[in-house]
Amino acid sequence: MAHPSQLGFQDAASPVMEELLHFHDHALMIVFMISTLVLYIIVAMVSTSLTNKYILDSQEIEIIWTILPAVVLILIALPSLRILYLMDEINDPHLTIKALGHQWYWSYEYTDYEELGFDSYMIPTQDLTPGQFRLLETDHRMVVPSESPVRVLVTAEDVLHSWAVPALGVKMDAVPGRLNQTAFIASRPGVFYGQCSEICGANHSFMPIVVEAVPLQHFENWSSLMLEDA
């Protein structure tokens, strides 16, 4: 998860997030090169007193500074479009979960099971145990099997919300009356935190999301226990 003074993204916990990190680094290098070139030109123009009559009218330079930006845009656009299509791809999910946003908590329904669903509320600061994170812990975590494709159907009951978990590269708006879907694969077991990412009222900051990825056998044991309790 994020830590104080962190400059970059969180460590990737899904293949899509790894692709997003690589694209971020790719785009950042292009920005650095453009910035360096512009800075060099500014310094050269300010500091030198040399003149060249051909600089005032040069077809070659105009061709270069027209084609070069087009090439740069293509180098950014093609990887970007590839990742957009990857993020939209949902192939044979092993598990489907419906995430329902409320003011101000989340409800989860495991639609592959008949009676498996629960509400997920933030744990108040005074009830936290040592090692738990303030404003991020919930009383019920969304438990998923690791290394398995999971589809999340996202909607809301009252106002706009947004279901977002940065480490998994997932962010999807929850719109009343509309069912949006997204998918992810947790690359490794772990606990991944997120928060509602759409201003939704007075307690917008107090409806965190906690996704716990566990091995498949542990997930089956957990689902059996939840069904027995229900």
Side-chain angles (χ1 to χ4, degrees):
M1 63 172 290
H3 56 79
S5 303
Q6 179 174 330
L7 295 179
F9 289 100
Q10 298 181 29
D11 291 340
S14 73
V16 167
M17 190 59 195
E18 289 180 12
E19 293 286 343
L20 289 170
L21 287 176
H22 292 153
F23 175 69
H24 169 266
D25 295 343
H26 167 73
L28 199 60
M29 290 302 103
I30 292 175
V31 170
F32 281 158
M33 287 191 293
I34 293 172
S35 302
T36 303
L37 177 62
V38 171
L39 181 63
Y40 168 76
I41 292 172
I42 291 173
V43 171
M45 293 296 290
V46 169
S47 61
T48 184
S49 58
L50 299 175
T51 57
N52 189 323
K53 64 179 180 179
Y54 295 111
I55 295 237
L56 299 176
D57 183 20
S58 174
Q59 296 294 330
E60 291 80 9
I61 289 180
E62 291 189 8
I63 291 171
I64 290 171
W65 71 37
T66 301
I67 292 178
L68 198 59
V71 172
V72 169
L73 288 175
I74 290 171
L75 290 175
I76 295 174
L78 292 180
S80 175
L81 287 171
R82 174 177 170 271
I83 295 175
L84 277 175
Y85 280 104
L86 281 175
M87 293 175 71
D88 209 34
E89 198 74 31
I90 300 176
N91 289 323
D92 191 24
H94 295 176
L95 180 69
T96 299
I97 303 172
K98 182 179 178 183
L100 183 62
H102 308 265
Q103 287 182 310
W104 288 274
Y105 64 96
W106 293 95
S107 296
Y108 298 105
E109 299 173 12
Y110 289 69
T111 58
D112 299 290
Y113 300 84
E114 288 186 6
E115 297 290 335
L116 184 48
F118 49 84
D119 296 331
S120 180
Y121 291 89
M122 187 193 77
I123 299 177
T125 302
Q126 63 270 22
D127 296 335
L128 292 173
T129 58
Q132 290 186 320
F133 299 105
R134 189 178 71 89
L135 302 182
L136 289 177
E137 293 289 353
T138 59
D139 56 355
H140 291 94
R141 293 173 172 175
M142 189 182 105
V143 181
V144 300
S146 59
E147 300 180 353
S148 297
V150 177
R151 174 173 55 189
V152 185
L153 305 176
V154 184
T155 187
E157 186 184 49
D158 35 47
V159 299
L160 290 175
H161 300 279
S162 184
W163 197 84
V165 183
L168 297 173
V170 175
K171 182 177 180 181
M172 181 57 66
D173 285 345
V175 183
R178 181 186 178 94
L179 201 62
N180 293 326
Q181 71 173 354
T182 186
F184 64 86
I185 300 174
S187 304
R188 64 180 191 277
V191 180
F192 311 110
Y193 296 92
Q195 290 178 299
C196 177
S197 297
E198 188 73 51
I199 304 288
C200 58
N203 291 333
H204 161 67
S205 304
F206 307 112
M207 49 183 300
I209 300 155
V210 184
V211 177
E212 183 175 359
V214 298
L216 181 59
Q217 184 62 51
H218 294 188
F219 173 78
E220 291 175 346
N221 295 339
W222 171 84
S223 60
S224 299
L225 288 173
M226 291 293 288
L227 289 170
E228 289 174 6
D229 293 340

